[in-house]
Protein backbone atom coordinates (compact mmCIF):
# COMPACT_ATOMS: atom_id res chain seq x y z
CA UNK A 1 0.00 0.00 0.00
CA UNK A 2 1.33 3.44 -0.95
CA UNK A 3 1.43 6.18 1.66
CA UNK A 4 -1.98 7.65 2.31
CA UNK A 5 -2.43 11.40 2.59
CA UNK A 6 -4.30 13.56 5.07
CA UNK A 7 -5.44 16.75 3.35
CA UNK A 8 -7.25 19.61 5.11
CA UNK A 9 -9.83 21.28 2.87
CA UNK A 10 -10.52 24.98 3.17
CA UNK A 11 -13.79 26.04 1.56
CA UNK A 12 -13.45 29.76 0.84
CA UNK A 13 -16.25 32.28 0.48
CA UNK A 14 -15.57 36.02 0.23
CA UNK A 15 -12.02 35.52 1.51
CA UNK A 16 -12.95 33.46 4.58
CA UNK A 17 -12.90 29.74 5.28
CA UNK A 18 -16.44 28.45 5.81
CA UNK A 19 -17.98 25.09 6.60
CA UNK A 20 -21.54 23.83 6.40
CA UNK A 21 -23.66 20.70 6.22
CA UNK A 22 -24.74 19.20 2.88
CA UNK A 23 -23.30 22.31 1.11
CA UNK A 24 -25.58 24.74 3.04
CA UNK A 25 -25.79 26.53 6.44
CA UNK A 26 -22.25 27.86 6.16
CA UNK A 27 -20.35 29.15 9.19
CA UNK A 28 -17.07 31.07 9.42
CA UNK A 29 -14.00 28.97 10.26
CA UNK A 30 -11.16 31.49 9.91
CA UNK A 31 -8.61 33.13 7.62
CA UNK A 32 -7.41 30.83 4.81
CA UNK A 33 -3.76 31.89 4.87
CA UNK A 34 -3.51 31.60 8.67
CA UNK A 35 -5.15 28.19 8.63
CA UNK A 36 -2.91 27.05 5.79
CA UNK A 37 0.22 27.94 7.76
CA UNK A 38 -1.18 26.22 10.85
CA UNK A 39 -1.95 22.98 9.02
CA UNK A 40 1.44 23.02 7.30
CA UNK A 41 3.09 23.25 10.71
CA UNK A 42 0.84 20.47 12.03
CA UNK A 43 2.05 18.05 9.35
CA UNK A 44 -0.64 18.10 6.66
CA UNK A 45 0.47 16.35 3.48
CA UNK A 46 -1.28 18.81 1.17
CA UNK A 47 -4.00 21.46 1.24
CA UNK A 48 -7.06 22.05 -0.90
CA UNK A 49 -8.69 25.47 -1.30
CA UNK A 50 -12.12 25.59 -2.92
CA UNK A 51 -13.82 28.90 -3.68
CA UNK A 52 -17.24 27.31 -3.27
CA UNK A 53 -19.33 30.04 -4.89
CA UNK A 54 -17.03 31.23 -7.67
CA UNK A 55 -18.57 29.14 -10.45
CA UNK A 56 -22.11 30.08 -9.44
CA UNK A 57 -21.47 33.80 -9.02
CA UNK A 58 -18.95 34.09 -11.88
CA UNK A 59 -16.51 35.97 -9.67
CA UNK A 60 -12.85 36.50 -10.32
CA UNK A 61 -10.64 33.71 -9.07
CA UNK A 62 -8.50 33.57 -5.98
CA UNK A 63 -5.14 34.26 -7.60
CA UNK A 64 -4.12 36.72 -4.87
CA UNK A 65 -4.97 34.20 -2.17
CA UNK A 66 -2.94 31.51 -3.95
CA UNK A 67 0.08 33.80 -3.97
CA UNK A 68 -0.27 34.52 -0.24
CA UNK A 69 -0.65 30.83 0.57
CA UNK A 70 2.41 29.98 -1.52
CA UNK A 71 4.42 32.40 0.61
CA UNK A 72 3.07 30.85 3.83
CA UNK A 73 3.39 27.09 3.27
CA UNK A 74 5.91 24.54 2.01
CA UNK A 75 3.53 21.71 1.15
CA UNK A 76 1.66 21.23 -2.15
CA UNK A 77 -1.74 22.85 -2.45
CA UNK A 78 -4.65 22.72 -4.85
CA UNK A 79 -6.92 25.63 -5.76
CA UNK A 80 -10.37 25.30 -7.29
CA UNK A 81 -13.44 27.41 -7.97
CA UNK A 82 -14.29 29.63 -10.92
CA UNK A 83 -11.72 28.18 -13.30
CA UNK A 84 -13.02 28.52 -16.86
CA UNK A 85 -10.01 28.39 -19.20
CA UNK A 86 -6.48 27.05 -19.43
CA UNK A 87 -5.37 30.67 -19.07
CA UNK A 88 -6.94 30.55 -15.60
CA UNK A 89 -4.88 27.44 -14.89
CA UNK A 90 -1.74 29.30 -15.91
CA UNK A 91 -2.49 32.32 -13.69
CA UNK A 92 -3.08 30.24 -10.56
CA UNK A 93 -0.15 27.90 -11.15
CA UNK A 94 2.11 30.92 -11.67
CA UNK A 95 0.80 32.36 -8.40
CA UNK A 96 2.16 29.30 -6.64
CA UNK A 97 -0.50 26.58 -6.63
CA UNK A 98 0.62 23.05 -7.44
CA UNK A 99 -2.68 21.73 -8.80
CA UNK A 100 -5.94 23.10 -10.09
CA UNK A 101 -9.33 21.56 -9.32
CA UNK A 102 -12.15 21.92 -11.80
CA UNK A 103 -15.75 20.78 -11.53
CA UNK A 104 -18.43 22.81 -13.32
CA UNK A 105 -16.30 23.68 -16.35
CA UNK A 106 -15.16 20.07 -16.67
CA UNK A 107 -18.77 18.97 -17.10
CA UNK A 108 -19.71 21.85 -19.39
CA UNK A 109 -16.51 21.71 -21.48
CA UNK A 110 -14.75 18.35 -20.96
CA UNK A 111 -12.07 19.28 -23.47
CA UNK A 112 -10.50 21.57 -20.87
CA UNK A 113 -9.29 18.46 -19.03
CA UNK A 114 -7.30 17.27 -22.03
CA UNK A 115 -6.11 20.77 -22.94
CA UNK A 116 -4.87 21.49 -19.41
CA UNK A 117 -3.21 18.08 -19.10
CA UNK A 118 -1.37 18.63 -22.37
CA UNK A 119 -0.21 22.14 -21.46
CA UNK A 120 0.63 21.71 -17.77
CA UNK A 121 0.77 17.96 -17.16
CA UNK A 122 -1.84 15.59 -15.80
CA UNK A 123 -0.39 15.94 -12.31
CA UNK A 124 -1.77 19.52 -12.22
CA UNK A 125 -5.31 18.57 -13.20
CA UNK A 126 -7.71 17.54 -10.43
CA UNK A 127 -11.33 16.92 -11.38
CA UNK A 128 -13.71 17.48 -8.49
CA UNK A 129 -16.83 15.32 -8.57
CA UNK A 130 -19.77 16.12 -6.27
CA UNK A 131 -22.28 13.24 -6.39
CA UNK A 132 -25.55 12.71 -4.57
CA UNK A 133 -27.40 9.39 -4.41
CA UNK A 134 -30.63 9.84 -6.35
CA UNK A 135 -31.90 6.26 -6.46
CA UNK A 136 -30.98 2.81 -7.65
CA UNK A 137 -30.66 1.17 -11.03
CA UNK A 138 -32.86 -1.83 -11.93
CA UNK A 139 -30.08 -4.20 -10.80
CA UNK A 140 -30.11 -2.58 -7.36
CA UNK A 141 -26.80 -0.75 -7.71
CA UNK A 142 -26.70 2.84 -6.42
CA UNK A 143 -27.20 5.74 -8.81
CA UNK A 144 -24.99 8.65 -7.78
CA UNK A 145 -25.66 11.73 -9.89
CA UNK A 146 -23.03 14.43 -10.42
CA UNK A 147 -23.96 17.98 -9.37
CA UNK A 148 -22.23 21.25 -10.32
CA UNK A 149 -22.36 24.96 -9.41
CA UNK A 150 -21.54 24.24 -5.77
CA UNK A 151 -24.04 21.41 -5.57
CA UNK A 152 -26.92 23.45 -6.99
CA UNK A 153 -27.34 21.94 -10.44
CA UNK A 154 -27.94 18.27 -11.38
CA UNK A 155 -26.19 17.10 -14.54
CA UNK A 156 -27.71 13.71 -15.29
CA UNK A 157 -24.20 12.21 -15.25
CA UNK A 158 -23.53 8.99 -13.36
CA UNK A 159 -20.64 9.63 -10.96
CA UNK A 160 -18.79 6.37 -11.63
CA UNK A 161 -19.09 6.72 -15.39
CA UNK A 162 -17.96 10.35 -15.21
CA UNK A 163 -14.93 9.34 -13.13
CA UNK A 164 -13.92 6.85 -15.82
CA UNK A 165 -14.35 9.52 -18.49
CA UNK A 166 -12.25 12.19 -16.75
CA UNK A 167 -9.41 9.72 -16.36
CA UNK A 168 -9.51 8.98 -20.08
CA UNK A 169 -9.48 12.72 -20.80
CA UNK A 170 -6.24 13.15 -18.85
CA UNK A 171 -7.12 14.06 -15.26
CA UNK A 172 -4.36 13.19 -12.81
CA UNK A 173 -6.52 12.97 -9.71
CA UNK A 174 -10.16 12.92 -8.60
CA UNK A 175 -11.54 14.85 -5.64
CA UNK A 176 -14.70 12.95 -4.74
CA UNK A 177 -17.13 14.70 -2.37
CA UNK A 178 -20.28 12.95 -1.21
CA UNK A 179 -22.97 15.61 -1.02
CA UNK A 180 -24.99 13.31 1.19
CA UNK A 181 -22.21 13.16 3.79
CA UNK A 182 -20.67 16.62 3.44
CA UNK A 183 -20.28 18.31 6.84
CA UNK A 184 -22.20 15.61 8.72
CA UNK A 185 -19.09 14.16 10.44
CA UNK A 186 -20.91 10.81 10.21
CA UNK A 187 -18.23 9.11 8.10
CA UNK A 188 -17.38 9.00 4.42
CA UNK A 189 -19.61 7.31 1.88
CA UNK A 190 -17.51 4.17 1.65
CA UNK A 191 -19.66 2.54 -1.01
CA UNK A 192 -19.35 5.55 -3.32
CA UNK A 193 -15.64 5.97 -2.68
CA UNK A 194 -14.88 2.31 -3.29
CA UNK A 195 -16.96 2.24 -6.48
CA UNK A 196 -15.07 5.20 -7.94
CA UNK A 197 -11.63 4.11 -6.66
CA UNK A 198 -12.03 0.66 -8.15
CA UNK A 199 -12.99 1.95 -11.62
CA UNK A 200 -10.01 4.30 -12.11
CA UNK A 201 -6.25 3.99 -11.82
CA UNK A 202 -5.59 7.62 -10.84
CA UNK A 203 -5.62 8.70 -7.16
CA UNK A 204 -8.96 9.40 -5.52
CA UNK A 205 -9.24 11.88 -2.65
CA UNK A 206 -12.27 11.04 -0.51
CA UNK A 207 -14.26 13.97 0.84
CA UNK A 208 -17.45 14.51 2.79
CA UNK A 209 -18.25 13.12 6.23
CA UNK A 210 -14.95 12.97 8.14
CA UNK A 211 -15.58 13.23 11.88
CA UNK A 212 -13.08 10.91 13.59
CA UNK A 213 -9.72 9.27 12.84
CA UNK A 214 -11.64 6.00 12.46
CA UNK A 215 -13.49 7.51 9.51
CA UNK A 216 -10.15 8.34 7.85
CA UNK A 217 -8.96 4.81 8.47
CA UNK A 218 -12.13 3.33 7.01
CA UNK A 219 -11.97 5.37 3.81
CA UNK A 220 -8.33 4.58 2.97
CA UNK A 221 -8.81 0.88 3.72
CA UNK A 222 -12.38 -0.25 3.05
CA UNK A 223 -13.08 2.72 0.75
CA UNK A 224 -9.80 2.22 -1.17
CA UNK A 225 -9.12 5.98 -1.27
CA UNK A 226 -5.62 7.33 -1.76
CA UNK A 227 -6.23 10.32 0.52
CA UNK A 228 -8.69 11.55 3.12
CA UNK A 229 -9.89 15.13 2.90
CA UNK A 230 -10.79 16.60 6.29
CA UNK A 231 -12.37 19.87 7.38
CA UNK A 232 -14.65 20.29 10.40
CA UNK A 233 -12.80 17.79 12.56
CA UNK A 234 -9.67 19.94 12.45
CA UNK A 235 -11.21 23.38 11.85
CA UNK A 236 -13.26 22.97 15.03
CA UNK A 237 -10.32 21.63 17.04
CA UNK A 238 -11.71 18.14 17.69
CA UNK A 239 -8.52 16.45 16.44
CA UNK A 240 -5.06 17.43 15.33
CA UNK A 241 -3.47 16.14 12.15
CA UNK A 242 -0.83 14.43 14.30
CA UNK A 243 -3.52 12.51 16.16
CA UNK A 244 -5.16 11.40 12.94
CA UNK A 245 -1.87 10.26 11.45
CA UNK A 246 -0.83 8.43 14.60
CA UNK A 247 -4.17 6.62 14.64
CA UNK A 248 -3.55 5.40 11.09
CA UNK A 249 0.06 4.46 11.76
CA UNK A 250 -0.96 2.43 14.81
CA UNK A 251 -3.27 0.41 12.55
CA UNK A 252 -0.70 -0.28 9.88
CA UNK A 253 -1.59 2.40 7.34
CA UNK A 254 1.53 3.95 5.76
CA UNK A 255 1.53 7.71 6.31
CA UNK A 256 4.08 10.36 5.45
CA UNK A 257 5.60 11.99 8.51
CA UNK A 258 6.62 15.43 7.29
CA UNK A 259 7.70 17.05 10.53
CA UNK A 260 9.74 15.60 13.34
CA UNK A 261 7.52 14.80 16.30
CA UNK A 262 4.33 14.41 14.24
Amino acid sequence: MLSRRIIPCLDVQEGRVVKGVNFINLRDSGDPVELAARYDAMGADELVFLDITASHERREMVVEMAAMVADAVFIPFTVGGGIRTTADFKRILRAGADKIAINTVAVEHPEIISDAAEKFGSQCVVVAIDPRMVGRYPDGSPHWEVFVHGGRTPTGLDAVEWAEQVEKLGAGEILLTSMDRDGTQAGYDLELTKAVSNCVSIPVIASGGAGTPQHCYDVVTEGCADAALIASMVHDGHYTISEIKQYLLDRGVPIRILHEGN
Side-chain angles (χ1 to χ4, degrees), residues 4 190 193-195 197-198 204 218-227:
R4 297 312 189 219
L190 301 180
T193 306
K194 185 175 182 179
S197 296
N198 285 345
V204 173
D218 291 341
V219 84
V220 299
T221 54
E222 183 179 345
C224 302
D226 296 270

Side-chain angles (χ1 to χ4, degrees), residues 9-20 26-36 38-39 48-54 57 59-62 64-66 68-69 80 231 235-236:
C9 180
L10 298 93
D11 291 337
V12 179
Q13 182 181 57
E14 297 178 359
R16 300 288 293 180
V17 176
V18 297
K19 192 57 191 163
L26 302 177
R27 66 183 187 279
D28 189 286
S29 292
D31 177 79
V33 179
E34 291 178 2
L35 284 174
R38 182 189 308 171
Y39 293 145
V48 170
F49 295 85
L50 299 176
D51 190 344
I52 60 174
T53 55
E57 297 175 0
R59 293 200 322 260
E60 281 300 303
M61 298 161 308
V62 289
E64 183 177 349
M65 184 195 72
M68 290 189 293
V69 170
H235 294 340
D236 296 340

Side-chain angles (χ1 to χ4, degrees), residues 3-178:
S3 293
R4 297 312 189 219
R5 292 168 287 157
I6 300 298
I7 306 176
C9 180
L10 298 93
D11 291 337
V12 179
Q13 182 181 57
E14 297 178 359
R16 300 288 293 180
V17 176
V18 297
K19 192 57 191 163
V21 178
N22 304 131
F23 283 41
I24 60 174
N25 299 324
L26 302 177
R27 66 183 187 279
D28 189 286
S29 292
D31 177 79
V33 179
E34 291 178 2
L35 284 174
R38 182 189 308 171
Y39 293 145
D40 183 12
M42 289 171 63
D45 294 295
E46 298 181 21
L47 296 168
V48 170
F49 295 85
L50 299 176
D51 190 344
I52 60 174
T53 55
S55 294
H56 176 62
E57 297 175 0
R58 301 302 184 197
R59 293 200 322 260
E60 281 300 303
M61 298 161 308
V62 289
V63 175
E64 183 177 349
M65 184 195 72
M68 290 189 293
V69 170
D71 287 339
V73 306
F74 298 95
I75 56 177
F77 69 95
T78 300
V79 172
I83 287 86
R84 294 183 276 278
T85 67
T86 54
D88 296 336
F89 268 76
K90 186 174 183 179
R91 289 178 61 204
I92 300 176
L93 291 171
R94 278 188 169 180
D98 299 273
K99 308 175 191 178
I100 304 298
I102 52 176
N103 183 347
T104 301
V105 72
V107 171
E108 295 176 345
H109 302 286
E111 66 275 7
I112 193 175
I113 302 172
S114 301
D115 291 346
E118 182 178 348
K119 290 180 179 179
F120 309 111
S122 291
Q123 77 283 352
C124 294
V125 183
V126 179
V127 174
I129 302 177
D130 297 341
R132 173 179 286 155
M133 186 172 175
V134 294
R136 292 188 177 273
Y137 290 109
D139 65 359
S141 60
H143 177 196
W144 293 290
E145 184 176 1
V146 175
F147 283 69
V148 294
H149 294 119
R152 297 172 180 85
T153 308
T155 65
L157 292 171
D158 177 88
V160 177
E161 293 175 357
W162 177 232
E164 292 176 318
Q165 185 176 348
V166 303
E167 179 181 23
K168 291 176 183 177
L169 288 168
E173 201 162 36
I174 290 172
L175 172 56
L176 181 68
T177 302
S178 166

